[in-house]
Amino acid sequence: MHAHLRIEEAGVLGRSTRLLAGAAIVACVVLVGPSAPGGPLFGGRQPAEAVRDVVPNRVMTWNICNPCDESDVARAAEIARFAPQVIGLQEACVRDVDRIREYLRNIHGLVYHVEYGSVLRNWGRCGGAPWSPGGYGQAILSAAPMRDRVNVEYPDGGSEDRGYLAVTTTVDGRSVRVFNTHLAQRDQEAVRAEQVGVLAEEVAEHDRAVVIGDFNAVPTAGELSRMWSLAIDTDSGCRPSDAGACKPTTDWYTKFDYVFLRGGITSLGHRVQPSEHSDHHMLYADVELDNARPRQD
């Protein structure tokens, strides 16, 4: 009789232990949630229900603001709302971009290649070990592979090193050269003029190009004149002669961010989307490329 009771008690204890273990696992899932990319919750794979396609003719630029102590989960979610084919990020820390890519893949089912255009290593901006601070600068994410990467640091960055990153990738099913830049800060017009000269010289070498980034200058600024001579902004109503019609792209109500189009690329529409996670708005454009075959560079 006593032996029978002991067996039943052991069975109850075993079931209780299993129930407690199961509850602990569920609690861990709730607490950790989907914010552990590539981890055991996903088994390193995408959740099938989240897999989706990018918009193949959509190009986005966004200064994501560093250091701003923002959530990379939230940044990824904002990008995923619009799912661009190509994304140019400025003030981009390598480790932030790595996490954003993982969240885009594991939470939203969006898979991107990446190229980095870091121009400095800065602990204050990007953290990391004191002897190995994080890389800081530009990054380009593309749903299609990229080639012929060029990363250029401007001879004079102004108060902080600045530069541009260029790659060749696919937009609207065709090959296009994409430039992503971040120019010197607002009160450094002469420095920006020199930087635009360096950038424009390279852009002019390509029959077809998209030039995106934070130019830190309004459309009427004289230092942008060389860009306007090479390309048009995706906003057809935004020109130096009619800058009042340009939509602001920053929290201080100015347009500093651009998607310039050069060589048989037509804007089908654009959107400026304010963000709670940066002092710059997200700017994206849907474009159409003509059938002319670009010159092979």
Side-chain angles (χ1 to χ4, degrees), residues 11-26:
V12 170
L13 288 171
R15 286 193 295 274
S16 299
T17 301
R18 288 193 296 273
L19 288 172
L20 287 171
I25 291 172
V26 171

Side-chain angles (χ1 to χ4, degrees), residues 143-217:
M146 292 175 277
R147 59 182 175 85
D148 301 331
R149 169 187 172 273
V150 172
N151 184 39
V152 173
E153 183 175 339
Y154 293 125
D156 183 359
S159 56
E160 180 181 78
D161 294 347
R162 296 290 165 90
Y164 73 80
L165 171 67
V167 301
T168 298
T169 188
T170 301
V171 178
D172 192 29
R174 294 175 176 83
S175 178
V176 63
R177 192 68 171 167
V178 177
F179 294 81
N180 179 21
T181 192
H182 187 191
L183 300 188
Q185 295 177 353
R186 281 177 284 179
D187 57 350
Q188 302 172 50
E189 293 87 352
V191 176
R192 285 198 301 276
E194 294 180 2
Q195 293 171 346
V196 171
V198 173
L199 175 64
E201 184 175 351
E202 181 61 27
V203 172
E205 293 295 315
H206 299 271
D207 295 335
R208 174 183 288 164
V210 174
V211 186
I212 58 182
D214 174 6
F215 285 74
N216 268 321

